[in-house]
């Protein structure tokens, strides 16, 4: 009987091990979390129905529109630094794992999550050297336990300017916008260009006027204290180089490699506060792609530090490793440790790809490490998060059958306004909802809670905020991680699980974010649209749109006429015709030869004009 019991147990263990986690379902739920964290007026396609409009007057009393963006965690403060890091991580996932994301029909949802943040950053960047970095006050917010829809706490906005700089927050925001421009480039070139305009301006602000953002915004210091801004300056420049391929930014990270610590700091953490490992791996990609050129020597120094971080995560760094729990989870911080494990796992998945494409390996002090070893490590952290841990508990709310039901989160823990129409006040929230022993009435799908302590112990208690509070910066790295793991596991289709109350399985990418259609083979002209400048007059923002017309055929083109819709401003470089909305090439350019191009520009507020070919010879 003992042997039979042992055999049954063994078979059960094998079955559990063989059956892979459904990373596609975990990905789906992770993206839902960002919808639960939205501030502002919710869109008609909002899937989290227990949420309502909130924070519509943010910034109003200070003469600026700061509605939108994301609430940081279980509270209702919009902290700029972790929000920008969140957008960078979502954008990195879309850029590096784009094909995988499209195959899983999740690109539309991810781009919408990114845009919810970038639209807010654009509004918050009211002047070239002004960036609104926070809405709400953490102290007063934490005195109340109420739904976002009922907020009575301060919605004061806090800004950075030349007299009150914040290079860390501005640098991360520039990185987020640059990374997002890459994510949107295949789908909305005009919006991608707009993001780059803001990214460049904000980077210039961060670099020229240096300082700690929590000196400029003291109310942030208790919640998201910055350890420094040197890493964010390098981080922003690295992303701007990748987005623009302009040598200025690559030269910046090389020239400042020593002074800003890029080649000096060997770290064992990657997070909303410490970007060095991310910078080092981004720049190692330049080297692995063979694009180092004259900068190869310094880039190799960045690579050495990237490898240090990798070896430390994989426990092969001659004792200088990242700590681990007995159950196998990276352990970096006592408070909300799970976010650090998620960020490291995502970074390993990314680096694994870079190495694999270059046939590279890493020589750690204790072993030679292959790209697959990095991916295996990333998978081990993802599996721990989803339930392969001593408690057999999923730390991703809503995933699996056993997950935390008392997340430290105001909106999740109080009945929805669609159910309980009366206002829930500060004190009533604490008395009637915070102290309840019952499960939260609203499932916070995709929320990665803080996680267990260094002994793999976890206490699912709403008041245990160190372990049960989720953050947007914690869930964001999981999007790319789950996307990669779902595809490499061989399950590249949309998760077809049981019907969900929050959503219907999509039939493809969101129509708003379909890739731009490729020109028909018989169409000889290609348009390359970008935004090269922006400025504000009064309350109106204007953009300089540049359009490159390229002859991609093997024959010369004459009598080219273009149809331009939605043009509200002036145009240079084209001649109007007698027909409405029809323009032609200027008289001095009668022929557009094969492979050649010409440029025209127009200036207007709002969206880009729609350009198409009317006729040609």
């Amino acid at each position: 009987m003992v042997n039979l019991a042992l055999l049954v147990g063994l078979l059960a263990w094998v079955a559990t091990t063989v059956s892979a986690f459904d990373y596609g379902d975990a990905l789906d739920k992770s993206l839902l979390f960002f919808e639960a964290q939205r501030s502002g007026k919710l869109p008609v396609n909002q899937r989290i129905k227990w949420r309502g409009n909130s924070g519509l007057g943010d910034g109003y009393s200070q003469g600026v529109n700061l509605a939108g963006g994301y609430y940081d965690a279980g509270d209702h403060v919009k902290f700029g630094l972790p929000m920008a890091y969140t957008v960078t991580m979502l954008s990195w996932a879309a850029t590096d794992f784009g094909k995988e994301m499209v195959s899983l029909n999740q690109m539309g949802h991810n781009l919408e999550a990114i845009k919810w943040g970038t639209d807010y950053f654009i509004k918050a960047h009211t002047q070239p050297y002004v960036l609104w970095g926070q809405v709400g006050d953490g102290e007063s917010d934490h005195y109340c336990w109420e739904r976002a829809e009922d907020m009575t706490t301060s919605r004061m906005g806090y800004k950075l300017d030349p007299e009150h700089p914040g290079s860390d927050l501005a640098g991360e925001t520039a990185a987020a916008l640059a990374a997002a421009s890459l994510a949107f480039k295949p789908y909305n070139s005009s919006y991608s260009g707009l993001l780059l305009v803001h990214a460049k301006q904000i980077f210039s602000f961060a670099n020229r006027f240096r300082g700690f953002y929590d000196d400029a915004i003291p109310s942030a210091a208790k919640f998201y204290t910055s350890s420094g801004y040197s890493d964010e300056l390098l981080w922003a420049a690295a992303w701007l180089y990748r987005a623009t391929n302009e040598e200025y930014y690559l030269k910046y990270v090389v020239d400042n490699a020593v002074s800003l610590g890029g080649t000096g700091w060997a770290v064992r953490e990657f997070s909303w506060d410490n970007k060095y490992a991310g910078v080092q791996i981004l720049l190692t990609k330049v080297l692995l792609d063979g694009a180092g050129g004259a900068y190869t020597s310094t880039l190799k120094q960045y690579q050495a530090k990237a490898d240090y971080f990798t070896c430390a995560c994989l426990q092969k760094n001659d004792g200088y490793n990242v700590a681990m729990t007995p159950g196998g989870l990276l352990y970096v911080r006592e408070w909300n440790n799970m976010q650090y494990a998620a960020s490291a796992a995502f970074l390993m998945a990314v680096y694994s790809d870079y190495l694999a494409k270059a046939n590279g390996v890493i020589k750690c002090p204790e072993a030679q490490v292959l790209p697959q070893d990095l991916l295996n490590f990333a998978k081990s952290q993802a599996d721990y998060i989803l339930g392969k841990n001593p408690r057999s508990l999923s730390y991703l709310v809503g995933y699996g059958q056993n997950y935390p039901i008392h997340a430290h989160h105001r909106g999740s823990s109080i009945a929805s306004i669609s159910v309980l129409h009366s206002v829930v006040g500060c004190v009533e929230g604490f008395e009637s909802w915070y102290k309840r022993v019952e499960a939260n009435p609203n499932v916070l799908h995709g929320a990665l809670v803080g996680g267990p302590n260094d002994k793999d112990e976890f206490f699912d208690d709403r008041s245990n905020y160190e372990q049960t509070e989720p953050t947007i910066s914690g869930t964001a790295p999981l999007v790319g991680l789950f996307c990669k793991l779902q595809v490499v596991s061989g399950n590249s289709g949309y998760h077809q699980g049981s019907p969900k109350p929050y959503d219907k399985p999509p039939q493809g990418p969101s129509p708003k974010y379909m890739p731009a259609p490729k020109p028909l083979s018989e169409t000889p002209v290609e348009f390359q649209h970008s935004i090269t400048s922006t400025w504000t007059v009064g309350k109106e923002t204007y953009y300089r749109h540049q359009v490159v017309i390229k002859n991609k055929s093997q024959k010369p083109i004459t009598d080219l006429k273009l149809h331009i819709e939605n043009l509200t401003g002036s145009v240079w470089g084209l001649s109007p015709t007698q027909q409405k909305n029809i323009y032609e090439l200027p008289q001095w350019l009668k022929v557009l030869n094969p492979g050649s191009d010409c440029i025209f520009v127009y200036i207007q507020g709002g969206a880009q004009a729609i350009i198409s070919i009317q006729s040609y010879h």
Side-chain angles (χ1 to χ4, degrees):
M1 291 296 291
V2 174
N3 288 340
L4 181 60
L6 209 62
L7 179 60
V8 170
L10 181 62
L11 289 173
W13 180 84
V14 170
T16 303
T17 305
V18 171
S19 61
F21 287 103
D22 190 340
Y23 304 112
D25 187 35
L27 167 63
D28 185 43
K29 288 180 167 61
S30 297
L31 285 166
L32 281 167
F33 177 60
F34 298 100
E35 297 192 21
Q37 296 301 105
R38 284 172 170 168
S39 180
K41 184 174 176 58
L42 302 182
V44 293
N45 64 345
Q46 170 81 8
R47 294 181 293 169
I48 301 298
K49 300 302 183 184
W50 51 266
R51 281 298 323 280
N53 298 332
S54 63
L56 299 181
D58 285 0
Y60 180 79
S61 64
Q62 294 163 283
V64 60
N65 177 10
L66 296 176
Y70 287 108
Y71 299 123
D72 168 64
D75 53 19
H76 298 132
V77 182
K78 295 192 289 199
F79 289 107
L81 184 56
M83 191 195 306
Y85 170 78
T86 295
V87 171
T88 308
M89 290 298 98
L90 294 174
S91 301
W92 200 349
T95 301
D96 276 19
F97 301 136
K99 290 181 180 178
E100 293 90 340
M101 197 167 284
V102 168
S103 74
L104 296 169
N105 295 317
Q106 295 289 7
M107 182 60 85
H109 290 315
N110 190 36
L111 290 177
E112 286 168 0
I114 294 168
K115 194 170 187 292
W116 198 265
T118 53
D119 282 351
Y120 172 78
F121 296 146
I122 289 171
K123 289 195 291 186
H125 184 216
T126 52
Q127 296 176 39
Y129 291 163
V130 174
L131 177 66
W132 292 80
Q134 182 174 317
V135 176
D137 171 66
E139 292 284 356
S140 62
D141 183 273
H142 284 67
Y143 290 143
C144 282
W145 194 263
E146 56 188 356
R147 299 172 296 198
E149 297 84 357
D150 297 333
M151 274 191 296
T152 57
T153 51
S154 169
R155 301 306 293 168
M156 173 76 73
Y158 302 86
K159 69 179 179 181
L160 306 176
D161 58 30
E163 290 73 41
H164 310 89
S167 302
D168 27 28
L169 171 52
E172 181 60 70
T173 306
L177 292 166
S181 75
L182 283 166
F184 274 97
K185 194 171 183 178
Y187 303 93
N188 188 333
S189 61
S190 179
Y191 189 67
S192 173
L194 175 61
L195 295 174
L196 265 185
V197 169
H198 285 277
K200 289 180 175 182
Q201 287 185 356
I202 295 173
F203 173 71
S204 177
F205 171 42
N207 187 45
R208 181 176 176 183
F209 301 98
R210 297 191 181 185
F212 289 87
Y213 93 101
D214 47 10
D215 286 340
I217 308 176
S219 66
K222 184 177 178 181
F223 303 94
Y224 285 98
T225 304
S226 174
S227 61
Y229 55 75
S230 297
D231 53 330
E232 277 86 9
L233 290 175
L234 294 171
W235 180 239
W239 274 111
L240 278 163
Y241 174 68
R242 186 167 179 185
T244 66
N245 205 34
E246 293 176 13
E247 186 179 0
Y248 167 81
Y249 296 108
L250 183 59
K251 189 174 186 299
Y252 181 94
V253 298
V254 169
D255 289 348
N256 294 281
V258 175
S259 63
L260 296 180
T263 56
W265 278 103
V267 298
R268 287 175 280 178
E269 170 190 324
F270 176 57
S271 67
W272 60 266
D273 179 45
N274 191 326
K275 317 295 164 37
Y276 279 117
V279 172
Q280 291 153 359
I281 286 174
L282 265 185
L283 295 178
T284 298
K285 181 182 188 301
V286 178
L287 192 64
L288 294 173
D289 289 346
Y295 306 114
T296 295
S297 176
T298 303
L299 292 178
K300 284 184 176 179
Q301 296 176 51
Y302 274 107
Q303 183 183 28
K305 295 301 187 290
D307 292 350
Y308 178 97
F309 176 78
T310 302
C311 297
C313 287
L314 271 61
Q315 310 295 294
K316 299 184 184 302
N317 207 37
D318 197 22
Y320 295 95
N321 299 315
V322 184
M324 271 192 155
T325 69
L329 179 72
L330 285 185
Y331 194 79
V332 179
R333 293 277 190 280
E334 181 181 359
W335 193 320
N336 205 308
N337 174 69
M338 197 64 88
Q339 65 177 312
Y340 302 100
S343 292
F346 170 76
L347 209 51
M348 291 300 96
V350 166
Y351 198 15
S352 170
D353 256 22
Y354 297 166
L355 289 167
K357 289 171 184 174
N359 294 316
V361 297
I362 297 176
K363 294 181 179 179
C364 293
E366 297 178 37
Q368 180 171 282
V369 174
L370 302 175
Q372 186 62 43
D373 296 324
L374 276 67
L375 191 59
N376 290 344
F377 168 80
K379 182 179 182 298
S380 74
Q381 299 304 289
D383 290 353
Y384 187 108
I385 289 169
L386 296 180
K388 190 177 180 181
N389 55 64
R391 290 181 59 88
S392 297
L393 178 72
S394 165
Y395 291 100
L396 191 75
V397 176
Y399 179 87
Q401 301 300 313
N402 185 24
Y403 53 81
I405 59 175
H406 299 100
H408 181 91
H409 189 277
R410 290 156 175 73
S412 172
S413 68
I414 304 174
S416 168
I417 58 168
S418 62
V419 175
L420 179 64
H421 303 299
S422 59
V423 172
V424 177
C426 283
V427 177
E428 181 190 353
F430 277 113
E431 294 297 328
S432 302
W433 297 98
Y434 181 76
K435 296 179 180 179
R436 289 173 81 241
V437 296
E438 292 85 1
N440 289 353
N442 308 308
V443 179
L444 193 62
H445 289 102
L448 179 67
V449 297
N453 62 19
D454 59 350
K455 298 180 179 62
D456 299 299
E457 297 168 334
F458 178 80
F459 305 98
D460 186 11
D461 188 314
R462 204 173 288 117
S463 64
N464 180 21
Y465 46 83
E466 293 95 339
Q467 292 191 329
T468 62
E469 186 171 23
T471 62
I472 53 175
S473 57
T475 293
L478 295 179
V479 171
L481 178 62
F482 290 149
C483 180
K484 176 66 176 178
L485 293 176
Q486 176 69 0
V487 173
V488 298
S489 69
N491 301 317
S492 58
Y494 178 80
H495 171 70
Q496 299 289 346
S498 57
K500 306 177 183 69
Y502 52 79
D503 149 315
K504 293 180 181 178
Q507 300 305 308
S510 167
K512 286 194 295 183
Y513 300 119
M514 294 293 287
K518 295 181 179 178
L520 298 174
S521 57
E522 65 269 17
T523 302
V525 170
E526 178 180 71
F527 301 110
Q528 298 171 350
H529 200 130
S530 62
I531 295 175
T532 58
S533 186
T534 179
W535 61 93
T536 302
V537 179
K539 294 185 177 180
E540 186 70 26
T541 301
Y542 294 90
Y543 304 98
R544 182 182 186 273
H545 299 258
Q546 175 180 287
V547 182
V548 178
I549 308 172
K550 185 176 181 65
N551 180 359
K552 65 189 185 88
S553 73
Q554 303 299 315
K555 298 179 180 179
I557 296 174
T558 60
D559 298 324
L560 177 65
K561 289 184 171 59
L562 304 178
H563 181 260
I564 306 181
E565 288 183 73
N566 300 340
L567 181 64
T568 60
S570 303
V571 62
W572 291 269
L574 294 177
S575 300
T577 68
Q578 297 297 317
Q579 296 175 273
K580 183 180 179 181
N581 297 335
I582 304 299
Y583 294 79
E584 60 186 6
L585 298 183
Q587 291 300 312
W588 56 266
L589 184 63
K590 295 183 178 180
V591 179
L592 195 61
N593 289 313
S596 64
D597 56 44
C598 66
I599 296 174
F600 73 92
V601 299
Y602 62 93
I603 293 173
Q604 66 184 35
Q608 73 177 66
I610 301 173
I611 304 164
S612 58
I613 297 174
Q614 174 76 6
S615 61
Y616 67 92
H617 289 108

